[in-house]
Amino acid sequence: MFIYLCKKIAIPGNVRLRCISWNTDQGFIACGGEDGLLKVLKLETQTDEAKIKGLAAPSNLSVNQTLEGHSGSVQVVTWNEQYQKLTTSDQNGLIIVWMLYKGAWYEEMINNRNKSVVRSMSWNADGQKICIVYEDGAVIVGSVDGNRIWGKDLKGTHLCHVAWSSDSKVLLFGMANGEIHIYDNQGNFIVKMKLSCLVNLTGAFSIAGIHWYHGTEGYIEPDCPCLAVCYDNGRCQIMRDENDHNPVLIDTGMNVVCIQWNHCGSVLAVAGSLKATSQDKDVNIVQFYTPFGEHLRTLKVPGKQIAALSWEGSGLKIALAVDSYIYFANIRPDYKWGYCSNTVVYAYTRPDRPEYCVVFWDTKNNEKYVKYVKSLISITTYGDFCVLATKADENQPQEEHETESISATYVLVLCNSIGTPLDPKYIDIGPLFVTMTKTHVIAASKEAFYIWQYRVAKKLTALEINQVARTRKEGRERIYHIDDTPSGSADGHLDYSRATEGTRDPICAITASDKILLVGRESGTIQRYSLPSVGIVQKYTLNCRAYQLSLNCNSSRVAIIDLSGVLTFFDLDTRVVDSTGQQVIGEQLKLERKDVWDMKWAKDNPDLFAMMEKTRMYVFRHLDPEEPIQTSGYICNFEDLEIKSVLLDEILKNPEHPNKDYIINFEIRSLRDSRALIEKVGIAESSQFIEDNPHPRLWRLLAEAALQKLDLQTAEQAFVRCKDYQGIKFVKRLGNLQSESMKQAEVAAYFSRFEEAERMYLDMDRRDLAIGLRIKLGDWFRVLQLLKTGSGDSDDALLEQAHNAIGDYFADRQKWLNAVQYYVQGRNQERLAECYYMLEDYQGLENLANSLPENNKLLPWNKAVELAKNHNMKEIGSLLARYASHLLEKNKILDAIELYRKANYFFEAAKLMFKIADEEAKKRTKPLRVKKLYVLSALLIEQCHEQMQNAQRGKVKGKSSETASALAGLLEDDVLSSTNRFADNAWRGAEAYHFFILAQRQLYKGYVDAALKTALHLRDYEDIIPAVEIYSLLALCACANRAFDICSKAFVKLESLETLRPEQRQQYEDLALEIFTRHCPKYNKKSDLDDVLESGDGKLPVCVATGDPILEYRFWMCSVCKHCMKAKEASNYNFCPLCHSTA
């Protein structure tokens, strides 16, 4: 934070002030002093125009009322904000309660004990009760309407302070001897407070102040210290509650007169005086501390003696009563905030949540994304990314890949600009200082710094990826102690043991660019390291302790703001000769500015920067300032000769509803001058001025001005100078247009003056171009209007597209009813169904389903069947039959089979499949295809068998398993013993074609004996394969095997077939005659062929691999089709030769 004095008000008659209190709600300031002085003042409330200036707005007094009523010196003033009351008391013990009426303050109640003087008064958190303590030990608790609730006399004690707890259950009484006693809210003593800050101290000391922050704006951390007790000797303790035995201890080293928390409990102000070493008189100072005792700032205040202080309600101002003056100081808080890709990221606390509320506010679209973060330490941004530094949550398990740092106490979370966490890194050093570049995040504690190369490669160019690729191998995370001198090789492993060692010269600031890292130390040394290799390059010596460092865009110069707000500059690469005659690198520049609290270098010019000095913004070019601008915004971004600034003070007054008015863009002088020049003297003269002061932004300004005047040649040249390829293309396109008015319309669209462009298109009777423009913009409402206003038929496809786009617009916003109207007109049944479903309009859904054509993708039968099956719908059979018959009518037999199969109606599926197989067999198509169809049919029948057995087993669970399975078999046979021949032996068709194909393969391979044995089996399958095919093959195999007796029988069978035509029969007779005149139809070999002939009755199983009968005792059987194979053949196959299921 930064603080500076900004205003001074003198009290008339030089009356010394004793006390001051600022009403946090209404902004009234009450100050009491000697001789009964009591004034109520108010700084004027800001108008909208003044709000935009923030603290920079003039703050004159809008209220200045003197309240008459006290005669003695007014010693205590306290506000009751909830009920708009002011309570005051003087040295005579007179208490007056004042009320606000029509903008002025009037006496409401008076009370005087006449025995003692009031030392302190305090209203509780909800403003219902006031506790008044008198010097003589009397305590009175009264209600807001003036009734006494209870009173108590604490004998033998002198009271001087009182404070309520936030829940109003505890009262703290500060005694004149320095003790603090804890009482309950009924006045019963509980215990004395343990005062750790006074250990080992002797002598008399009194309490300077007790202030208990009530958590009205939330806490900056869960379990944050909030009760401050301070003594006149400068010793202070900050406690989490009244019984905290381990408080935060501070020795301010000053004589304290007053303390107070700011509005959100994040800063404690301690006012008093300090013995100046050079002079005899004391110096008035105000010290500022965090709740954890860290010293933030010191403010020196002129005057003889400071008497009191009070914070403004927003925490941006502080009022100090010094002698007969009120001094006001402005405070620039260190907000936790950042700016990345048009997004302002800021954090604030809320009373209803223990975490920080982090808001990612996209200023372009005015959308915000909220994220809750526990124990947030800082927010750092760069480019499109943001790093949140937090304390690790002890209760939360860390990710598995973070095993190397089990005890990590801090986390760096890399987020994108909408707050989505991309990559968390757990570290063991406190990230007091964090900076970020395009490729690295650097976090530093006081002793060490940690470097993490984060991974967002798609945002980098190939060259930059190569540059960081080296470090990838060496480890993406490294840590270095500040006293080490790394060479740039891979010596910075993730070793935390060294990082926790102390140093005599701690780190106090860091900054980095893509090339270098600068680390500032408390002694004034700055260490320069190279990036990404991290080798120490140089050490520079400054004559101040840096508080904030900032590098310009080419890393040649660093800006340093020290603790007292002095801005200086240092050239990093200049070589100069120092006083001893030695040549040194680095030079301190002459420029020095005071009271600076923020600065930002331009991203595109190393000599340009903007800085905030009190309530003024200065822009410097080559170290020369332009005239200042009155503002109190924090600088987000400086590029293209424009400064974007954000009024965080105003935003954080209502952080849930940020207002775009609080983002302010300032143009720097050269841009303002160029614009004025173009307007006044014209394009030709201005281009000469821009030539002398070149900048891409100025060339763009000129190009745009030339475009407006349709001076295409100048516009093109200017676009070339600012390397705007789209601009050049646009000018070329304009040049090809004939019509002047068309050119003007295009230019209007280019400058986003879409209404004007549309009007021009319509005037030219080019409605199509107006519609095209609106489609590009996604303004479908306007597209619809334009389509409807057109004469004649509108484009139906475009109308449908527009209706659907508007439907999508409403659906995205969950306005389903509106969406339905447009989807109906756009005939978008799919989205319509979705809307009806969201509206729970089942009637609408049914009507939609009925109106849909068959086979529409919105009518998934498979899903319907699955649902019906899961919910045991009774009428599923009839529905299926209806749909299947519908499919069969359209000759979609395979679709019907698939429908039945998915519904587990295997028998019906098998029937249809056999039908297809039979039809294919009749067509004399490829035997292999017919075999496959028969195998599929048989597999469906097997599934049907299995289904029935499972069903029957389920029904007869109670009976013994043998009986059950037998019964299941009988029932199944009963069901399947229908007229269908395939149900008896489902595999016959597959067997027939299997042996038919096998016999031919064997014959062609020359295994004539095996072919004959296989062909003989086919005699059993005349009902499946035509007899002429079977006996022709048998005759061929027998003839080849010289088994002319079998060949003769085959010919006899062929000649007797009735299906043959006379000429075919004649051919067979002629062929038989030719064969058997040469060879006698006798067969002498008697071997296992007889067994084959005898196995026709099914006595012996047949090997499906060879066609041989199986004579051995051991053989392989398929688990699916139950067919067999010789054991020695089984080793050659991974699957069953018949049904192809895996073996």
Side-chain angles (χ1 to χ4, degrees):
M1 65 174 277
F2 180 72
I3 183 164
Y4 59 91
L5 293 170
C6 61
K7 190 176 180 67
K8 173 180 173 185
I9 295 175
I11 302 296
N14 288 345
V15 181
R16 283 179 69 82
L17 293 174
R18 300 290 296 275
C19 51
I20 191 165
S21 180
W22 204 324
N23 180 319
T24 55
D25 277 1
Q26 286 95 24
F28 293 105
I29 305 163
C31 54
E34 291 172 355
D35 305 328
L37 171 87
L38 178 61
K39 282 182 99 57
V40 173
L41 314 170
K42 188 176 185 181
L43 299 176
E44 64 185 17
T45 48
Q46 294 181 349
T47 59
D48 286 344
E49 188 188 339
K51 264 187 185 170
I52 290 175
K53 289 189 172 176
L55 286 180
S59 48
N60 302 319
L61 291 180
S62 62
V63 175
N64 182 359
Q65 184 186 358
T66 304
L67 307 189
E68 307 285 350
H70 289 287
S71 52
S73 171
V74 177
Q75 294 178 331
V76 185
V77 291
T78 179
W79 288 101
N80 180 340
E81 274 104 0
Q82 287 80 355
Y83 292 92
Q84 292 194 5
K85 294 184 189 298
L86 169 65
T87 315
T88 58
S89 80
D90 62 24
Q91 70 190 62
N92 305 323
L94 174 68
I95 300 171
I96 304 180
V97 179
W98 309 82
M99 59 176 250
L100 183 64
Y101 178 70
K102 290 187 178 175
W105 293 89
Y106 298 95
E107 277 181 22
E108 186 185 15
M109 291 178 268
I110 292 185
N111 182 13
N112 197 346
R113 262 179 84 234
N114 290 327
K115 286 186 182 172
S116 178
V117 59
V118 175
R119 278 286 165 224
S120 182
M121 298 186 285
S122 177
W123 288 96
N124 69 346
D126 60 12
Q128 295 275 0
K129 298 177 189 171
I130 187 169
C131 183
I132 303 164
V133 295
Y134 289 85
E135 195 172 46
D136 64 359
V139 176
I140 295 172
V141 173
S143 70
V144 68
D145 49 17
N147 296 321
R148 182 180 173 131
I149 299 173
W150 57 265
K152 194 155 190 159
D153 217 349
L154 307 181
K155 295 277 192 294
T157 57
H158 288 287
L159 296 173
C160 64
H161 280 280
V162 62
W164 290 93
S165 64
S166 56
D167 58 5
S168 305
K169 290 183 178 174
V170 172
L171 276 166
L172 303 182
F173 294 130
M175 308 294 169
N177 62 3
E179 289 181 358
I180 295 174
H181 294 191
I182 303 169
Y183 281 71
D184 68 13
N185 59 2
Q186 296 305 313
N188 304 311
F189 176 73
I190 301 174
V191 71
K192 281 186 184 179
M193 183 182 284
K194 184 181 178 205
L195 298 168
S196 314
C197 62
L198 299 179
V199 174
N200 304 333
L201 279 186
T202 54
F205 30 75
S206 62
I207 300 170
I210 303 174
H211 193 192
W212 203 333
Y213 168 60
H214 289 162
T216 45
E217 298 277 331
Y219 295 93
I220 57 168
E221 209 175 280
D223 201 27
C224 178
C226 55
L227 167 57
V229 176
C230 196
Y231 286 84
D232 61 351
N233 61 4
R235 294 296 178 95
C236 182
Q237 69 181 42
I238 309 178
M239 309 163 73
R240 285 162 184 81
D241 55 55
E242 71 277 14
N243 300 314
D244 187 354
H245 290 296
N246 188 20
V248 174
L249 302 179
I250 306 171
D251 184 1
T252 62
M254 54 192 262
N255 293 323
V256 180
V257 295
C258 180
I259 64 166
Q260 197 183 0
W261 286 111
N262 70 345
H263 68 302
C264 62
S266 62
V267 181
L268 178 69
V270 181
S273 56
L274 198 60
K275 274 270 187 286
T277 45
S278 54
Q279 311 134 316
D280 296 338
K281 66 182 185 119
D282 296 349
V283 180
N284 294 319
I285 59 167
V286 184
Q287 305 266 31
F288 296 88
Y289 295 91
T290 69
F292 303 99
E294 294 154 24
H295 180 252
L296 293 171
R297 287 281 163 156
T298 302
L299 174 70
K300 289 183 180 169
V301 186
K304 287 184 188 156
Q305 197 193 345
I306 189 165
L309 70 85
S310 187
W311 287 86
E312 186 207 15
S314 63
L316 299 176
K317 280 186 161 70
I318 195 165
L320 310 164
V322 184
D323 305 332
S324 57
Y325 297 96
I326 302 174
Y327 286 92
F328 291 95
N330 278 345
I331 286 151
R332 308 312 295 126
D334 287 333
Y335 292 117
K336 292 175 170 48
W337 79 287
Y339 179 81
C340 56
S341 67
N342 292 315
T343 301
V344 176
V345 188
Y346 58 90
Y348 67 99
T349 53
R350 284 169 50 163
D352 57 337
R353 292 192 76 118
E355 310 100 327
Y356 263 96
C357 181
V358 181
V359 179
F360 290 79
W361 174 38
D362 180 346
T363 57
K364 203 171 184 180
N365 305 323
N366 205 17
E367 290 175 354
K368 64 183 192 12
Y369 308 88
V370 179
K371 189 176 167 59
Y372 291 98
V373 181
K374 267 194 182 166
S375 309
L376 179 71
I377 298 167
S378 67
I379 294 173
T380 311
T381 50
Y382 185 91
D384 297 337
F385 300 97
C386 162
V387 167
L388 306 178
T390 71
K391 284 188 184 171
D393 191 349
E394 296 91 20
N395 312 324
Q396 214 168 1
Q398 288 169 21
E399 281 135 57
E400 289 167 26
H401 64 269
E402 300 290 353
T403 46
E404 81 280 352
S405 54
I406 298 298
S407 62
T409 41
Y410 300 95
V411 198
L412 298 174
V413 186
L414 181 73
C415 299
N416 62 13
S417 61
I418 59 168
T420 310
L422 304 176
D423 197 359
K425 279 283 173 270
Y426 290 82
I427 59 171
D428 260 345
I429 61 167
L432 300 177
F433 315 99
V434 185
T435 189
M436 208 174 162
T437 71
K438 197 184 287 184
T439 49
H440 291 79
V441 172
I442 300 113
S445 64
K446 290 196 168 176
E447 301 84 19
F449 58 92
Y450 157 94
I451 294 193
W452 160 36
Q453 178 208 322
Y454 62 93
R455 205 179 262 153
V456 278
K458 65 175 183 297
K459 287 279 177 190
L460 304 177
T461 64
L463 186 73
E464 287 162 334
I465 290 169
N466 290 337
Q467 195 182 1
V468 297
R470 270 187 314 133
T471 55
R472 206 157 273 187
K473 298 184 190 78
E474 297 155 6
R476 297 158 42 75
E477 298 172 73
R478 288 164 295 161
I479 194 157
Y480 300 90
H481 193 275
I482 188 62
D483 294 333
D484 291 347
T485 51
S487 61
S489 59
D491 52 0
H493 300 299
L494 209 57
D495 175 18
Y496 282 103
S497 54
R498 172 87 175 109
T500 50
E501 291 174 22
T503 177
R504 288 186 172 176
D505 189 4
I507 297 173
C508 61
I510 63 171
T511 188
S513 66
D514 294 344
K515 301 178 208 154
I516 67 170
L517 163 68
L518 296 183
V519 180
R521 304 180 72 169
E522 289 185 2
S523 63
T525 303
I526 288 187
Q527 291 178 198
R528 173 177 175 173
Y529 299 85
S530 59
L531 278 182
S533 56
V534 194
I536 190 155
V537 178
Q538 190 73 37
K539 288 189 180 181
Y540 307 103
T541 309
L542 305 176
N543 44 19
C544 66
R545 173 183 161 182
Y547 173 69
Q548 184 186 323
L549 296 173
S550 183
L551 275 165
N552 65 354
C553 63
N554 65 1
S555 308
S556 62
R557 192 173 280 179
V558 64
I560 305 119
I561 302 178
D562 71 7
L563 265 174
S564 53
V566 175
L567 171 68
T568 50
F569 292 86
F570 196 86
D571 255 338
L572 296 173
D573 301 322
T574 319
R575 294 177 183 274
V576 292
V577 178
D578 67 359
S579 52
T580 60
Q582 294 280 314
Q583 192 183 46
V584 290
I585 296 178
E587 177 192 17
Q588 184 106 22
L589 300 181
K590 297 281 185 287
L591 181 70
E592 182 176 300
R593 304 290 293 200
K594 291 187 174 144
D595 291 328
V596 177
W597 51 271
D598 192 15
M599 78 83 57
K600 192 71 117 200
W601 289 99
K603 282 186 178 177
D604 46 17
N605 184 339
D607 295 318
L608 207 55
F609 68 89
M611 51 156 262
M612 297 300 305
E613 189 177 288
K614 292 191 174 175
T615 50
R616 286 188 294 279
M617 179 196 287
Y618 288 90
V619 175
F620 281 73
R621 183 193 290 272
H622 301 292
L623 306 183
D624 297 323
E626 295 181 3
E627 65 277 5
I629 303 161
Q630 285 280 338
T631 178
S632 59
Y634 287 72
I635 304 168
C636 295
N637 196 27
F638 185 4
E639 65 181 323
D640 264 354
L641 310 183
E642 262 193 310
I643 299 163
K644 189 181 284 261
S645 168
V646 56
L647 295 176
L648 283 173
D649 304 329
E650 299 304 321
I651 286 174
L652 286 161
K653 285 176 185 172
N654 186 5
E656 289 172 34
H657 305 288
N659 185 338
K660 279 181 99 164
D661 292 346
Y662 299 146
I663 298 281
I664 306 173
N665 288 318
F666 298 103
E667 294 184 344
I668 77 163
R669 192 170 65 201
S670 59
L671 183 55
R672 292 197 305 269
D673 290 354
S674 302
R675 184 170 275 126
L677 211 60
I678 289 168
E679 284 170 13
K680 284 173 189 164
V681 301
I683 288 170
E685 293 82 355
S686 311
S687 59
Q688 189 53 52
F689 171 76
I690 293 169
E691 191 81 57
D692 300 339
N693 301 281
H695 190 281
R697 177 65 198 275
L698 299 181
W699 284 116
R700 198 160 74 242
L701 189 71
L702 182 68
E704 289 170 358
L707 267 184
Q708 299 275 26
K709 294 196 162 65
L710 293 182
D711 178 353
L712 299 189
Q713 191 183 351
T714 310
E716 186 174 2
Q717 286 169 355
F719 276 132
V720 168
R721 296 295 292 268
C722 63
K723 297 177 185 168
D724 183 344
Y725 182 64
Q726 278 88 355
I728 299 166
K729 292 271 285 185
F730 177 68
V731 173
K732 287 261 190 286
R733 194 155 61 83
L734 276 187
N736 295 332
L737 295 175
Q738 302 305 316
S739 154
E740 199 74 9
S741 50
M742 184 72 85
K743 286 180 184 175
Q744 285 169 344
E746 289 288 328
V747 168
Y750 181 82
F751 288 116
S752 304
R753 301 199 303 272
F754 303 117
E755 304 293 330
E756 189 183 323
E758 183 191 298
R759 198 168 57 249
M760 288 176 172
Y761 285 140
L762 292 174
D763 291 345
M764 288 183 272
D765 204 17
R766 290 299 303 268
R767 196 170 58 97
D768 58 323
L769 292 177
I771 289 171
L773 173 69
R774 289 296 173 183
I775 288 176
K776 274 184 200 162
L777 295 173
D779 183 356
W780 290 98
F781 289 97
R782 184 71 188 134
V783 170
L784 196 58
Q785 279 178 338
L786 290 168
L787 284 169
K788 284 180 177 171
T789 54
S791 55
D793 292 338
S794 317
D795 186 342
D796 291 344
L798 255 181
L799 256 179
E800 210 162 283
Q801 191 186 352
H803 281 127
N804 283 328
I806 295 173
D808 291 343
Y809 170 86
F810 284 120
D812 289 346
R813 286 153 183 76
Q814 298 185 346
K815 294 181 176 173
W816 307 110
L817 265 174
N818 303 35
V820 164
Q821 297 167 14
Y822 286 98
Y823 284 141
V824 167
Q825 292 175 52
R827 295 204 280 274
N828 190 338
Q829 289 128 339
E830 205 170 322
R831 293 304 300 267
L832 203 50
E834 194 183 320
C835 292
Y836 282 140
Y837 175 68
M838 298 307 288
L839 288 166
E840 298 181 13
D841 178 358
Y842 300 115
Q843 185 61 48
L845 267 177
E846 192 179 331
N847 296 343
L848 178 66
N850 293 337
S851 70
L852 289 174
E854 284 299 342
N855 267 8
N856 187 292
K857 63 178 177 181
L858 290 176
L859 299 174
W861 265 89
N862 304 337
K863 189 72 183 167
V865 166
E866 190 185 318
L867 288 168
K869 189 176 74 183
N870 293 347
H871 298 284
N872 292 325
M873 273 181 70
K874 296 286 181 284
E875 63 275 15
I876 182 68
S878 61
L879 280 171
L880 273 176
R882 262 169 48 207
Y883 188 55
S885 64
H886 166 78
L887 288 171
L888 292 170
E889 275 170 31
K890 296 197 171 180
N891 208 19
K892 295 184 176 176
I893 303 177
L894 286 172
D895 289 353
I897 292 169
E898 185 65 3
L899 175 73
Y900 277 134
R901 192 182 69 77
K902 284 193 171 169
N904 290 353
Y905 280 60
F906 298 117
F907 192 67
E908 280 78 1
K911 273 201 290 194
L912 289 171
M913 188 58 97
F914 271 116
K915 189 177 167 190
I916 292 178
D918 288 346
E919 283 172 6
E920 288 294 311
K922 280 178 193 152
K923 286 181 198 166
R924 321 300 307 121
T925 43
K926 289 181 182 175
L928 185 60
R929 182 176 180 192
V930 180
K931 176 194 165 182
K932 285 177 181 175
L933 289 167
Y934 276 123
V935 167
L936 286 172
S937 320
L939 287 170
L940 286 166
I941 286 288
E942 290 298 332
Q943 283 181 286
C944 180
H945 283 274
E946 194 181 334
Q947 185 187 33
M948 294 189 122
Q949 282 173 347
N950 290 345
Q952 295 306 331
R953 277 197 202 102
K955 283 182 189 168
V956 286
K957 255 192 181 155
K959 302 174 187 175
S960 73
S961 59
E962 278 179 40
T963 328
S965 56
L967 182 61
L970 286 169
L971 282 162
E972 180 197 338
D973 292 344
D974 186 40
V975 171
L976 294 180
S977 64
S978 61
T979 52
N980 298 81
R981 57 162 176 83
F982 65 80
D984 307 333
N985 188 350
W987 290 98
R988 269 179 61 74
E991 286 166 13
Y993 276 91
H994 175 70
F995 288 130
F996 185 61
I997 294 165
L998 182 64
Q1000 294 187 59
R1001 278 183 184 154
Q1002 288 169 329
L1003 182 62
Y1004 279 107
K1005 284 181 181 173
Y1007 308 141
V1008 286
D1009 196 31
L1012 180 57
K1013 288 178 191 175
T1014 308
L1016 283 166
H1017 293 303
L1018 292 172
R1019 293 173 307 172
D1020 298 337
Y1021 299 107
E1022 286 182 33
D1023 56 330
I1024 294 166
I1025 299 174
V1028 65
E1029 302 265 349
I1030 293 171
Y1031 289 105
S1032 297
L1033 179 61
L1034 183 58
L1036 190 61
C1037 293
C1039 188
N1041 200 24
R1042 309 190 74 74
F1044 293 112
D1045 55 340
I1046 297 174
C1047 182
S1048 169
K1049 287 176 187 174
F1051 269 106
V1052 170
K1053 186 76 178 173
L1054 279 169
E1055 287 165 20
S1056 65
L1057 286 175
E1058 293 171 4
T1059 52
L1060 291 180
R1061 296 196 301 279
E1063 61 268 22
Q1064 286 177 314
R1065 191 176 282 115
Q1066 188 59 48
Q1067 283 176 327
Y1068 281 123
E1069 284 173 3
D1070 294 349
L1071 185 60
L1073 194 64
E1074 194 180 331
I1075 292 170
F1076 296 123
T1077 51
R1078 291 187 200 175
H1079 305 285
C1080 180
K1082 282 183 183 175
Y1083 190 68
N1084 302 323
K1085 285 186 193 172
K1086 267 302 221 185
S1087 65
D1088 56 349
L1089 195 58
D1090 299 337
D1091 300 323
V1092 177
L1093 300 171
E1094 286 158 20
S1095 72
D1097 299 337
K1099 293 166 192 164
L1100 290 172
V1102 180
C1103 172
V1104 286
T1106 60
D1108 281 359
I1110 298 174
L1111 305 171
E1112 295 91 347
Y1113 175 65
R1114 296 188 59 164
F1115 53 84
W1116 176 87
M1117 180 186 273
C1118 173
S1119 58
V1120 177
C1121 66
K1122 307 292 186 286
H1123 286 73
C1124 307
M1125 186 162 44
K1126 287 183 176 178
K1128 66 179 182 209
E1129 293 291 337
S1131 59
N1132 299 332
Y1133 288 90
N1134 292 327
F1135 51 83
C1136 169
L1138 178 69
C1139 69
H1140 293 265
S1141 55
T1142 47

